[in-house]
Amino acid sequence: MRIGMGYDVHKLVEDRKLILGGVDIPYEKGLLGHSDADVVVHAIMDALLGAAALGDIGKHFPDTDDRYKGISSIKLLHHVGELLRENNFKIGNIDATIICQKPKLAPFRDEMVKNVAKALNIEESRVCIKATTEEGLGFTGEGLGISSQAIALLEEGLNENV
């Protein structure tokens, strides 16, 4: 078994959509980034890539490459899932936390879990996405940005001949 940890943060700005877990969340601001800036999916990708010792999302999807400008992070997550399978890894589970003051994310949690599980071709029971505030403290508490942390467990030897 292997464990990986991921973290991501993006600034909240006007005139951008707020995409979290592949869900378009109605809100007055969105996250600034080269792709759709989906912090929870980015943290999950880094946790998975780290557990497999395959680098990070910057290595696989650099922000200097126009192919990834505005791209859905769920599409990138699907690619990470393919990389894991190619390297004989099976996802044990994923646990992610989104840290933001607003908006409230509980109504969107189930759809986020479905999107992540579908992109990785795993059971929804292997994915947990939570949200918390920082009680008005720090940049997330002040509404300046949103961050996310994730941890993932991988099992080695997906293929029988490994």
Side-chain angles (χ1 to χ4, degrees), residues 22 31 36 44 50 54 76 81 103 106 112 121 127 133 136 147:
L31 294 169
D36 62 6
I44 289 169
L54 293 173
L76 302 179
M112 290 183 207
N121 195 28
V127 180
T133 70
S147 67

Side-chain angles (χ1 to χ4, degrees), residues 23 31-32 45 56-57 64 73 91 96 98 100 112 123 136 147-148 151:
V23 179
L31 294 169
L32 181 62
M45 287 191 292
D56 61 19
I57 60 174
T64 54
S73 295
I91 298 168
I98 304 167
C100 69
M112 290 183 207
E123 301 88 5
S147 67
S148 184
I151 190 164

Side-chain angles (χ1 to χ4, degrees), residues 68-127:
Y68 306 119
K69 185 163 181 62
I71 195 168
S72 164
S73 295
I74 290 291
K75 288 183 181 178
L76 302 179
L77 180 63
H78 178 76
H79 180 71
V80 168
E82 290 175 349
L83 283 173
L84 294 176
R85 283 185 288 286
E86 289 169 11
N87 286 276
N88 300 314
F89 289 106
K90 178 181 177 183
I91 298 168
N93 75 298
I94 297 165
D95 186 15
T97 302
I98 304 167
I99 301 115
C100 69
Q101 198 65 34
K102 291 180 183 177
K104 295 294 182 192
L105 299 177
F108 308 101
R109 190 193 75 79
D110 290 345
E111 189 176 356
M112 290 183 207
V113 168
K114 285 179 186 176
N115 290 342
V116 168
K118 182 178 178 184
L120 294 169
N121 195 28
I122 61 174
E123 301 88 5
E124 290 177 27
S125 63
R126 294 184 180 266
V127 180

Side-chain angles (χ1 to χ4, degrees), residues 7-79:
Y7 172 81
D8 195 38
V9 61
H10 284 276
K11 181 179 180 179
L12 280 165
V13 296
E14 294 182 4
D15 299 323
R16 288 275 297 196
K17 288 184 175 188
L18 179 58
I19 308 293
L20 294 170
V23 179
D24 189 345
I25 311 282
Y27 192 58
E28 62 202 35
K29 294 182 179 179
L31 294 169
L32 181 62
H34 185 69
S35 66
D36 62 6
D38 187 332
V39 293
V40 67
V41 172
H42 291 185
I44 289 169
M45 287 191 292
D46 268 345
L48 293 167
L49 289 167
L54 293 173
D56 61 19
I57 60 174
K59 174 184 174 181
H60 293 274
F61 316 110
D63 64 6
T64 54
D65 190 331
D66 283 341
R67 290 181 298 167
Y68 306 119
K69 185 163 181 62
I71 195 168
S72 164
S73 295
I74 290 291
K75 288 183 181 178
L76 302 179
L77 180 63
H78 178 76
H79 180 71

